[in-house]
Amino acid sequence: MNITKSQIQAFEPDEFHERSLAILSEKLEKSGLDITDLISKIAAFQIAIPSWALGAGGTRFGRFSIGGEPRNLEEKLEDIGILAQLTKKTEAVSLHIPWDIPEDYMQIKAKAESLGLKFDAMNSNTFQDYGQKESYKMGSLGNASKSIRDQAIAHNVEVIRIGEKIGSKALTVWLADGSNFPGQAHFRNSLQWTIDSLKGIYREMPSDWKLLLEYKPYEPNFYHTIIPDWGTSSLICSQLGDRAKVLVDLGHHLPNTNIEQIVATLMHQNQLAGFHFNDSKYGDDDLTTGSIKPYQLFLIFCELVGGASDGAQAWDSISWMIDASHNVKDPLEDLIQALEAIAIAYAKALLVDRSKLEEAQNSGDVAGAQEILQAAFQTDVRSLVAEARMQSGGAADPLEVYRSLKVRENLIKERGTGSKATGL
Ligand code: RM4
Ligand code: MN
Ligand code: MN
C-alpha cells in the first residue's frame, strides 16, 4: 500500500495547534530557548525499526494474528516506509538474521532506497535453532563445546558479511546464553568462552563497524545469564576494543533499576552503543515505549542530552532502535505511539535548564533541582513535536491519518488475514 504526500497533507492539524504552539514558543523563548533550534533537533532525531516488529508478537501461551502482516522482507520494508512517511521519525531498518535474509541484495537495497530507508545495525540470532548443524540449546558463544562456539562465531561473521552488502555499519549481539539451574554451568569458564568468541567476531568486523553488546538479567535462562548487566557488558567491551560498546535495552533490567544512571556511567566512559526502546511492567520487550514509565524515559533523555552537551559522548555516536513485541495492538499503531513517546521525552529533556540544575545540585538545593526537572517534564510539548514532524512533511497526527486512510484494512486486503511475519 502506498500513501502519497498529498494524502497526508490533506489532514489539517487540529484547530488548537497554531495557538498551542504560539503560547509554548512564547514561554520557551522567555526562558532563553530557541524554537527553531528545538524544532530542528526534534526533526533530526531518527529511530530505527527492527524487521521483527511488524507482525503480532506472542507469549508462550499464544499468538493472535492481526492480519495483513508482511509476508517477506520487501513487505516489511513497505510497512516501515508507511511509518516513515507518517511520522518522519524513522529512516532505517534493523535486520535479524536468519529471520530476514535478503534473497537478492541489489533488489532489497534498491527497494529500501526507493522508500528512503537505510540499513541500521544487523542482529545475529544464536538463541534459536534454524537448521544449523549443532543445537544452541545449551548456549552459543559461551557453550562448553568448541565446535558449537565456532559455529556461533561463523554465524555472526556471516551476518557481518550480509550487512556489508547492504550498507550496514554495525552488529548487535544479544546472547541468550546462561543456565537454568545451579551447577549447570561454570560461571567463569562460560564467561571466558564468551569473551574469546566475541573477540573472534570483533576481529572480523570491518574497521568502520561497531559492535553493540546487549545485556539481559534473565530469560530465556532463569538462573544465570552470561552477560546479565551493563557492568559485565562493559567489561567485555573494554577487552574487545573501542568499537565495542554497551547496548541498553530498556526491558532488560530488574525492577527499579536506575537506568538513567547506567546511561550516565556508560557515557562517562564513552561506551554507550545505543538503545532498544520499549517499556515494561514485568518482563522484556513487553509494552510500548512510554506507556508505563514516561518519567523514567524523560530522565534517561536528560542524561543523554546532558552527556552529549557536556562532551562526555557524542550524540551522533549513539544508535536508536525500538525493540518491542506487539501482542494485542496493531504493530504499526504501536510503533507510531512509541515513536511519538520517544520524541516527546527527547523534546522535554531539551527544555531542562542545565546550568540552573547544576547550580541547584552544587548548592544542595534538592527541592529546586526537582522543580527544574518537573517543570520540563510537565510541559506539554506535543505541538512542538507535531510542528517538527509537519515541517519535515509528516502527518499532523500520524495515528489519525493511519486510521482514516484505513491502512490496516488495506494491508489485510492485499496480504490476507492469515499472513504471518517472521520474528518474535
Ligand atoms: C531479545 C533482545 C534482542 C532481540 C530479541 C528478539 O530480548 O532484546 O535485542 O533481538 O529479543
Ligand atoms: Mn533488544
Ligand atoms: Mn529484549
Side-chain angles (χ1 to χ4, degrees), residues 52 174 214 247 249 252 276 278 284-285 321 323:
W52 61 95
W174 169 65
E214 283 192 73
L247 176 67
D249 180 317
H252 293 191
H276 280 181
N278 51 60
D284 172 35
D285 304 337
M321 192 190 94
D323 187 9

Side-chain angles (χ1 to χ4, degrees), residues 40-146:
S40 70
K41 280 188 177 135
I42 298 166
F45 188 47
Q46 300 290 319
I47 303 136
I49 305 291
S51 60
W52 61 95
L54 301 153
T59 69
R60 65 199 168 94
F61 296 102
R63 179 188 181 278
F64 305 95
S65 181
I66 37 121
E69 292 184 25
R71 294 164 293 187
N72 49 45
L73 184 51
E74 281 79 3
E75 291 184 351
K76 289 183 175 188
L77 294 180
E78 283 167 19
D79 281 11
I80 299 173
I82 292 171
L83 275 179
Q85 273 184 298
L86 293 173
T87 66
K88 294 289 168 188
K89 267 276 145 280
T90 183
E91 53 186 20
V93 50
S94 190
L95 296 191
H96 216 297
I97 306 296
W99 291 339
D100 293 294
I101 300 180
E103 274 165 27
D104 179 335
Y105 295 102
M106 297 309 279
Q107 191 199 323
I108 216 69
K109 244 184 119 175
K111 175 88 190 178
E113 263 164 35
S114 73
L115 296 162
L117 302 175
K118 291 177 291 201
F119 290 94
D120 201 72
M122 302 294 292
N123 301 266
S124 58
N125 179 338
T126 56
F127 50 91
Q128 290 175 320
D129 283 346
Y130 250 87
Q132 80 280 8
K133 206 165 149 231
E134 300 194 73
S135 172
Y136 292 130
K137 182 176 177 185
M138 293 299 171
S140 58
L141 296 179
N143 197 303
S145 146
K146 174 149 188 334

